[in-house]
Amino acid sequence: MLQNDLLLRALKGEKLSRPPVWMMRQAGRYLPSFRKLKEKYDFFTRCRTPELVAEITCMPVHQIGVDAAILFSDILVVPQAMGLDFQMKENEGPFLEYPIRSIEQADRVKCPQVQEELSYVFEGIRLSKQALKNRVPLIGFAGAPWTIFCYAVEGRGSKTFNSVKAFGFSQPAAAHRLLEKITQTTIAYLLKKVESGADVIQIFDSWGGVLSPQDYELFSWRYTQKIVESLCPYAPVIVFAKGCWHALSRMSESGVSALGLDWTVPADKARNFVGALTLQGNLDPVQLLAPISQVKEKTLRMLREFDSQSYIANLGHGILPETPVENAQAFVEVIKEYR
Ligand code: CP3
């Protein structure tokens, strides 16, 4: 039994004395103890070493006091297992030397046996669960197929992913073939994550917001929905689709347990879109760079705007690497003291 099951109860829509809190990307670079490990091991070595995964996964639980752990890993381990050789370039981010630009290339992408290719992730989950000693639930995650597709076709980050969209619009058959393969691989991967001990699954659609509402439905939601439907009988699923407020209502009917919000959506509008479904978010992560008194004030304001029922406190996107640890702690403290 978990000592702190606030997150699981919030995902069921239970009325709680205060909302649970965790932060997207909380196991990341703002923690000095994480930066120390970075001097010794490169990024994907950290992801592939289960002992390091467990150590990093626990850091924010011990140091910041969040109500849930999120597995230290990356959304790009899935396309790597499919044969796309992503590197992580210092100060630049993901890089793929030969991005997918044709139907022939899309056809060569494999659907791997996840159990073998990604065994290090599942072992990382088992070790993380042991290390957490039932203190808090463990969140497993994957990228939405569209977001993975963005990196696979662009080969690196982008603000607009114009060439990815152009590929999708002009070669839809190739795009859909690749999206379908990513979807099937992600379903197998997430089912195995749950089997290995993940208590909750979050799907990150970081780039859903570059699409129009119609194209979001066609190229993104259609695939994410398949993942939700396959996973929701086995674990609660949270979908965070950045910039996709227009789809909240539609997404709320899919079997998800909660929907994540970025900071551009007002609480009352989001509530109108989803009814009683649990919402998660949505403080602008840049607010954590302001003086602590202001961090506290903005966090309190967010708490008052959302109901304490059916709500998980979080940021509206990943915590920034330059965030002072004390500011992250202040954000979490205000929520834990809230009644
Ligand atoms: O809390 C956690 O940090 C859990 C693990 C986690 C990472 N990436 C570790 C990471 C999670 C949940 C992710 C998700 C992820 N990865 C997303 C979706 C969430 C989002 O922020 O939109 C995306 C788009 C990626 C792809 C990715 N990985 C990018 C674009 C980058 C470079 C930019 C950056 O954020 O640093 C990464 C690298 C990465 N993933 C780091 C970490 C801790 C930093 C690199 C390092 O430590 O050397």
Side-chain angles (χ1 to χ4, degrees):
M1 275 302 284
L2 286 167
Q3 288 159 27
N4 175 346
D5 63 353
L6 280 176
L7 176 70
L8 303 183
R9 287 162 60 200
L11 287 165
K12 289 184 190 145
E14 285 181 25
K15 187 147 185 71
L16 302 169
S17 56
R18 61 140 178 117
V21 54
W22 67 282
M23 296 179 293
M24 288 189 279
R25 305 294 299 271
Q26 66 188 17
R29 293 181 298 187
Y30 70 106
L31 288 175
S33 50
F34 175 83
R35 274 195 235 120
K36 261 212 182 116
L37 281 180
K38 224 181 126 146
E39 289 162 15
K40 280 204 243 164
Y41 311 96
D42 69 46
F43 179 66
F44 284 116
T45 301
R46 275 172 278 152
C47 290
R48 288 187 190 121
T49 310
E51 291 75 16
L52 292 176
V53 168
E55 185 182 344
I56 301 170
T57 298
C58 291
M59 283 177 183
V61 177
H62 297 148
Q63 296 174 33
I64 314 286
V66 284
D67 296 308
I70 180 163
L71 187 77
F72 176 74
S73 184
D74 199 82
I75 61 170
L76 298 173
V77 302
V78 169
Q80 279 179 335
M82 299 175 77
L84 302 177
D85 185 24
F86 274 99
Q87 314 290 316
M88 192 59 69
K89 289 205 169 175
E90 190 60 38
N91 302 324
E92 271 180 59
F95 177 74
L96 179 63
E97 194 174 354
Y98 302 107
I100 306 294
R101 297 286 160 80
S102 69
I103 198 156
E104 292 76 22
Q105 286 170 312
D107 279 341
R108 280 201 295 272
V109 174
K110 61 174 184 182
C111 286
Q113 292 295 328
V114 290
Q115 183 147 359
E116 282 137 45
E117 293 286 335
L118 292 163
S119 58
Y120 63 87
V121 178
F122 310 126
E123 187 55 21
I125 292 178
R126 282 187 279 272
L127 293 190
S128 298
K129 285 293 283 185
Q130 277 174 23
L132 286 167
K133 301 197 172 82
N134 281 326
R135 277 177 64 168
V136 293
L138 176 65
I139 303 168
F141 67 92
W146 168 255
T147 286
I148 299 297
F149 179 82
C150 281
Y151 288 103
V153 174
E154 187 76 33
R156 58 179 75 213
S158 159
K159 287 204 164 66
T160 56
F161 287 100
N162 285 340
S163 55
V164 178
K165 287 161 64 178
F167 179 70
F169 299 162
S170 51
Q171 295 186 256
H176 287 295
R177 227 179 271 182
L178 185 52
L179 284 162
E180 186 59 39
K181 285 190 197 177
I182 299 169
T183 304
Q184 293 313 320
T185 305
T186 303
I187 290 172
Y189 173 63
L190 289 178
L191 285 172
K192 194 78 198 151
K193 271 189 159 174
V194 173
E195 206 187 300
S196 306
D199 301 291
V200 174
I201 293 298
Q202 174 153 320
I203 300 169
F204 287 89
D205 200 354
S206 308
W207 299 110
V210 301
L211 294 167
S212 72
Q214 290 87 337
D215 290 324
Y216 178 72
E217 176 70 34
L218 191 62
F219 288 101
S220 185
W221 175 243
R222 190 208 271 204
Y223 296 101
T224 298
Q225 186 173 23
K226 289 192 196 188
I227 299 175
V228 173
E229 283 166 2
S230 305
L231 263 296
C232 72
Y234 305 102
V237 180
I238 307 169
V239 172
F240 170 69
K242 189 168 178 288
C244 301
W245 61 270
H246 56 78
L248 285 171
S249 167
R250 175 110 178 72
M251 294 193 290
S252 72
E253 290 155 6
S254 59
V256 288
S257 291
L259 290 171
L261 305 173
D262 64 52
W263 60 90
T264 65
V265 197
D268 56 340
K269 295 236 167 35
R271 189 47 75 204
N272 282 340
F273 281 128
V274 308
L277 189 78
T278 299
L279 289 167
Q280 173 177 281
N282 70 344
L283 191 75
D284 182 344
V286 181
Q287 286 289 359
L288 294 196
L289 305 185
I292 287 191
S293 58
Q294 189 176 318
V295 170
K296 291 185 172 170
E297 183 194 316
K298 297 288 178 186
T299 306
L300 257 181
R301 187 159 152 188
M302 171 184 84
L303 291 168
R304 291 198 186 107
E305 285 173 3
F306 286 94
D307 273 337
S308 61
Q309 184 163 4
S310 302
Y311 174 57
I312 301 160
N314 205 317
L315 302 172
H317 198 190
I319 185 168
L320 296 166
E322 58 269 41
T323 306
V325 172
E326 312 75 64
N327 293 32
Q329 283 163 336
F331 172 73
V332 169
E333 258 163 41
V334 170
I335 297 155
K336 291 174 87 171
E337 284 162 9
Y338 190 71
R339 287 289 176 278

